[in-house]
Amino acid sequence: MSSVGGLFINWLRWRSGRQQSGYEKMLLIANPYLLPFDCYILRFRKGAEIPAHTDPVSDKRHYRLNIVVKKARRGGEFVCSEPIFENQRIKLFRPDLVSHSVTRVIEGTRYVVSIGWVRSPT
């Protein structure tokens, strides 16, 4: 099977997260075409964290829906300066516009299903 943008290479395998801060991600599904989207499981083991950052996207609007499947016993809290919607388990935000981070996991492991998509500005 050929690789489309590395999708098949990364499919259903734990990989280091982009921030190189200890979290891991596993690609479940992605479509880089019509309505570009992706869906990952994120795993944050003890010591993992994500520093505050944004994820710029050229000429598009980027959205991300994070669903906390399992909280860490201590730490691993999502922090977002301006979420669109947020409760204990669901986080909807614009990663291209707002700073977001995850505090260091002190005890336990945190699992999140993360669904992202981009749209044209109009």
Side-chain angles (χ1 to χ4, degrees):
M1 194 179 269
S2 67
S3 171
V4 177
L7 295 179
F8 294 118
I9 293 170
N10 294 318
W11 187 57
L12 297 180
R13 294 188 179 154
W14 288 112
R15 303 283 184 195
S16 294
R18 290 186 318 153
Q19 300 298 325
Q20 302 302 314
S21 57
Y23 84 97
E24 301 163 289
K25 62 184 183 177
M26 179 189 297
L27 178 64
L28 297 179
I29 189 169
N31 178 1
Y33 303 110
L34 298 175
L35 173 63
F37 77 93
D38 58 40
C39 180
Y40 288 90
I41 295 177
L42 307 180
R43 177 169 64 187
F44 297 79
R45 296 181 191 189
K46 183 178 177 179
E49 65 184 329
I50 299 178
H53 68 286
T54 59
D55 302 310
V57 179
S58 299
D59 301 324
K60 304 274 186 193
R61 293 180 293 171
H62 186 190
Y63 295 87
R64 189 148 295 275
L65 173 66
N66 287 349
I67 302 165
V68 179
V69 177
K70 181 179 182 276
K71 292 182 173 186
R73 284 189 287 279
R74 287 184 43 223
E77 296 297 326
F78 178 76
V79 179
C80 181
S81 61
E82 295 179 47
I84 296 169
F85 176 83
E86 179 178 42
N87 67 23
Q88 275 195 316
R89 300 274 181 187
I90 299 170
K91 321 296 181 181
L92 177 62
F93 63 106
R94 291 277 310 271
D96 57 330
L97 296 180
V98 299
S99 178
H100 54 285
S101 62
V102 176
T103 63
R104 181 180 299 265
V105 173
I106 305 300
E107 184 181 343
T109 302
R110 176 180 190 258
Y111 287 92
V112 174
V113 172
S114 183
I115 304 164
W117 65 98
V118 294
R119 296 187 57 201
S120 296
T122 57

